[in-house]
Amino acid sequence: MFVIATAGHVDHGKSTLLHRLTGMWPERLAEERRRGLTIDLGFAWTELGGRQLAFVDVPGHERFVANMLAGVGTVPAVLFVVAATEGWMPQSDEHLAALDALGVSHGLVVITKADLADPGPAAEQARERFAATSLAGAPVAIGTDLERVRAELLALTGRLPVPDPDADVRLWVDRSFTVRGAGTVVTGTLAAGTIRVGDELEHAGRRVTVRGLQSLGRDRPAAGPVARVALNLRGVDRRHIGRGDTVRTPGVWLDTAEIDVALRSAGALHRQLVLHVGSAAVPVQVRPLGEAAARLRLAEPLPLRVGDVGLLRDPGEHRIAAGVEVLDVRPPALRRRGAARERAAELATGRVSPPDCARAAELRAMGLPLAGLRVGNWVVDPRWWAARRECATAAVRHWADDHDIAAGMPLETLRQRAGLPAAELLPPLLEGTGLQVGDGLVRAPGAGLPARVDKAVRTIEEWLAAEPFRAPEADELAELKLGPRELAAAVRAGRLTRIADGVVLGSGALDRAAGVLATLPQPFTVSDARRALGTTRRVAVPLLEQLDARRVTRRAADGTRVVGSPTGAP
């Protein structure tokens, strides 16, 4: 299907032309038929050369320009009407300015009422006005020659870009109403993606289900782009959905209330304007950034992506202020001195660099390509990633220098120092660096003890060489300036073995104790073990408990122990 909007000054015969082409009057409202004036959007369709054409008829009166923009905002082509009897008129200018601001480049000009006046002057006026716009070169046909009009319409459909049926759905709603026995129905132009009966879509953060689907007045199981569709929705009341809302693929669109845009055909910009995009019309605050860009703060968030087009309008002065193209839906803050000037220079290039690091789903929601290095669910710039790796390894080295007896650098501290947005990125970042991650810490492998601790530990090792199971007393450790942190560092380095709080023996003390205990008559008591090891209960009891835990020794109900499992035990 091909969807084409009408445009042109009031009473220039847009609706009549559609009736002659399709056999359908596009007006829906009784008041429109009574007054002979299009007020809201109308719809008609036909088939030409085996192709289905749907038309969105828009009002031409200046009081209803907002309705007109809701109709053309999602349509790729236009049928522009100029009456031979009046020629180019004020609303002709405003409609053309809107189409130019939206960047519409496919169109056909039809000179109507050619049976009442010479169509030549109106045709020449249209060519002159179109020449400086995005519709330059649009063909001109005379409305009395319907066969020529139909031929030009077919040629127009052949020039339209091919839409993507696999794209994410975002249907801008232009009508909503209730059908007795069916419930809420919304209509819109499906510009991309495919909708099927039974699909779950999203509206205002809630899931809605497509109960039924119509296109061109017929029930259909599915509809692809471009198409006029009517959706019967379950899960939303008619009062809560209307023109300017969207139904869309769940979880893949980003609602944003602040955007940076490029400006096209910009005149004087007031601070307060209205942004028209899709079928929505939202008041915005405008902050110019250079001559060709601006930051817009929306009165309510919209699901926008990079590349979306719209226009700014001053409703008070009835003029189009500028066309806009979205460059960034997550623009940076402009608080520091010079930030606005730097941002203006970047926007002047017409493109914004993608984030150095973002989740793939976020890039998709922003409308950006997934270009870069994939790291799990993230996409990162390779140069940025390499710089973060260097920063992280340097941060761990500096931490180790400043905290020479610490177990390691806390992961969260390293994440902040490295400038990563999430801790889950640290393990892949540190792959190949030799750094070890565990227990929420990052450490360099084989890190030695600082000289002051090493000297004190050597003293203890000399004592234990003579009496392996005589653990140093608390006052001896204090004299050597070995507190809990220093002892923990010595244990991590494999120089000492922790038996209990404040109780340490030499490396391999448990294996050596097991060898001594194996020579005792079995079973043996704690006192037997204490005498054989030449130590005190302060050491013997926790040492035996550690051997029990390792199943080197086995404790009986009477408190005695044996080395190894008892006879017959598995």
Side-chain angles (χ1 to χ4, degrees), residues 41-67:
L41 303 181
F43 309 97
W45 55 88
T46 190
E47 184 173 305
L48 293 178
R51 297 181 179 182
Q52 292 181 325
L53 276 68
F55 296 93
V56 180
D57 192 29
V58 306
H61 197 284
E62 66 178 0
R63 288 171 51 197
F64 307 121
V65 170
N67 291 345

Side-chain angles (χ1 to χ4, degrees), residues 188-420:
T189 299
L190 180 64
T194 300
I195 300 177
R196 299 172 178 85
V197 174
D199 278 356
E200 276 199 348
L201 300 176
E202 184 179 74
H203 165 67
R206 296 181 178 180
R207 296 295 178 95
V208 296
T209 303
V210 180
R211 297 177 58 186
L213 187 157
Q214 282 194 354
S215 185
L216 304 189
R218 295 183 180 180
D219 291 334
R220 303 180 189 273
V226 171
R228 285 295 305 175
V229 296
L231 306 181
N232 178 205
L233 299 178
R234 180 193 298 118
V236 60
D237 188 275
R238 151 73 180 88
R239 296 169 297 175
H240 301 145
I241 187 169
R243 179 171 294 174
D245 288 337
T246 62
V247 287
R248 63 214 199 203
T249 302
V252 299
W253 291 92
L254 173 70
D255 285 316
T256 179
E258 192 170 58
I259 56 175
D260 282 352
V261 299
L263 301 175
R264 294 194 307 272
S265 306
L269 293 180
H270 298 315
R271 183 169 177 79
Q272 301 286 344
L273 295 171
V274 174
L275 171 67
H276 292 264
V277 59
S279 62
V282 177
V284 295
Q285 292 182 353
V286 182
R287 177 178 180 177
L289 293 171
E291 296 181 356
R295 174 157 297 182
L296 308 182
R297 181 166 294 174
L298 285 61
E300 58 186 72
L302 292 176
L304 302 178
R305 287 185 173 177
V306 171
D308 282 342
V309 296
L311 60 83
L312 294 172
R313 180 170 174 266
D314 185 339
E317 296 183 5
H318 300 291
R319 68 179 182 86
I320 306 300
V324 301
E325 178 181 352
V326 178
L327 297 179
D328 198 345
V329 295
R330 282 190 174 175
L334 301 177
R335 298 188 186 94
R336 64 177 177 81
R337 185 183 299 274
R341 183 169 56 254
E342 293 174 7
R343 185 62 170 173
E346 182 181 15
L347 296 176
T349 66
R351 65 181 300 273
V352 175
S353 299
D356 291 325
C357 179
R359 287 186 171 87
E362 293 174 333
L363 292 176
R364 176 183 176 185
M366 295 167 70
L368 295 173
L370 305 185
L373 178 67
R374 291 299 295 263
V375 181
N377 294 323
W378 296 76
V379 180
V380 301
D381 177 81
R383 289 176 296 180
W384 178 87
W385 187 250
R388 295 308 92 208
R389 189 190 302 271
E390 291 181 8
C391 178
T393 54
V396 173
R397 287 196 302 270
H398 291 312
W399 176 273
D401 292 341
D402 296 338
H403 307 80
D404 52 13
I405 58 172
M409 185 177 186
L411 277 174
E412 178 58 22
T413 302
L414 179 58
R415 182 196 71 78
Q416 295 176 13
R417 297 277 180 88
L420 296 179

